[in-house]
């Protein structure tokens, strides 16, 4: 019995590691300028410098443990000239949409997102029971952008590299990958 329990735990750990590890996604077809304009026009929540030289878009779900890990890692890994723009999606569970609504419909979405992430381990913020139509539309647009970028889970990161090329990363970056994405250049 102990052997099968140990095997099951090992299998769960392996699956968790596989799911947690991120990968570079194929570069999306089309104009990088057009894609970045679509992301810029989406409704996002900014963290970091308002006059940032670089922007990284992060698709995030408030119920995603890897998104919370990324949020924690970005607090120390992000270079001062990088702004993070969070695009909220609801792909994890039923509470995701309600928590997205609680964040997006609050008086200070950035502060509410921060509170959700800071308190994630204790359940985060309570979800809203009903969403405004504009909030549902925002989440749908963000999810469509995520799908167009071929990001199939959260977190998902999109940015322009030093050569002006669109880069897409799906999943939780390891420390070296994170430095490439948000570190000092």
């Amino acid at each position: 019995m102990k052997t099968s329990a140990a095997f099951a735990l090992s299998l769960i750990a392996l699956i968790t590691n596989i799911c947690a590890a991120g990968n570079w996604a194929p570069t999306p077809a089309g104009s990088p300028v057009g894609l970045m304009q679509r992301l810029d026009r989406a409704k996002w929540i900014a963290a970091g410098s308002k006059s940032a030289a670089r922007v990284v878009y992060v698709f995030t779900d408030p119920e995603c443990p890897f998104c919370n890990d990324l949020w924690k890692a970005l607090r120390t890994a992000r270079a001062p000239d990088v702004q993070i723009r969070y695009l909220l999606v609801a792909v994890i569970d039923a509470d995701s949409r309600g928590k997205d609504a609680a964040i997006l419909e609050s008086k200070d979405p950035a502060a509410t997102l921060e509170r959700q992430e800071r308190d994630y381990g204790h359940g985060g913020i309570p979800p809203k029971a009903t969403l405004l139509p504009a909030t549902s539309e925002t989440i749908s647009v963000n999810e469509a952008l995520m799908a167009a970028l071929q990001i199939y889970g959260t977190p998902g990161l999109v940015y322009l590299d030093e050569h002006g090329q669109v880069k897409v990363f799906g999943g939780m970056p390891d420390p070296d990958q994170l430095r490439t994405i948000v570190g000092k250049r």
Side-chain angles (χ1 to χ4, degrees):
M1 192 68 158
K2 285 184 181 180
T3 306
S4 62
F7 175 75
L9 287 175
S10 296
L11 186 58
I12 289 169
L14 175 63
I15 291 168
T16 300
N17 285 335
I18 290 170
C19 294
N23 290 304
W24 300 102
T27 303
S31 161
V33 172
L35 176 61
M36 297 311 282
Q37 286 174 341
R38 282 182 65 195
L39 286 165
D40 191 50
R41 286 191 303 264
K43 184 164 181 156
W44 37 261
I45 300 168
S49 171
K50 293 185 189 320
S51 60
R54 296 187 295 149
V55 172
V56 176
Y57 292 91
V58 175
F59 291 93
T60 188
D61 184 307
E63 290 291 282
C64 171
F66 303 116
C67 296
N68 184 252
D69 290 343
L70 177 62
W71 177 82
K72 290 175 191 171
L74 286 170
R75 295 175 66 95
T76 57
R78 180 178 46 84
D81 70 332
V82 176
Q83 182 183 68
I84 306 299
R85 294 180 178 174
Y86 292 99
L87 295 109
L88 299 178
V89 296
V91 297
I92 301 294
D93 66 27
D95 280 347
S96 296
R97 289 184 90 70
K99 287 188 178 192
D100 282 351
I103 294 165
L104 292 167
E105 296 174 13
S106 71
K107 289 181 183 175
D108 187 347
T112 308
L113 175 61
E114 179 154 337
R115 188 172 43 134
Q116 162 60 30
E117 296 300 338
R118 186 184 61 240
D119 297 344
Y120 178 84
H122 302 289
I125 61 173
K128 285 190 78 174
T130 58
L131 285 71
L132 296 174
T135 301
S136 289
E137 178 65 19
T138 293
I139 296 166
S140 294
V141 166
N142 290 349
E143 289 170 349
L145 275 168
M146 188 173 144
L149 290 160
Q150 299 178 22
I151 299 171
Y152 301 109
T154 52
L157 299 90
V158 183
Y159 67 101
L160 291 175
D161 69 9
E162 60 273 8
H163 306 292
Q165 299 298 310
V166 174
K167 297 293 181 182
V168 178
F169 191 92
M172 177 63 190
D174 68 30
D176 289 335
Q177 294 164 329
L178 193 57
R179 273 190 295 283
T180 297
I181 298 168
V182 300
K184 189 172 182 173
R185 285 191 183 154

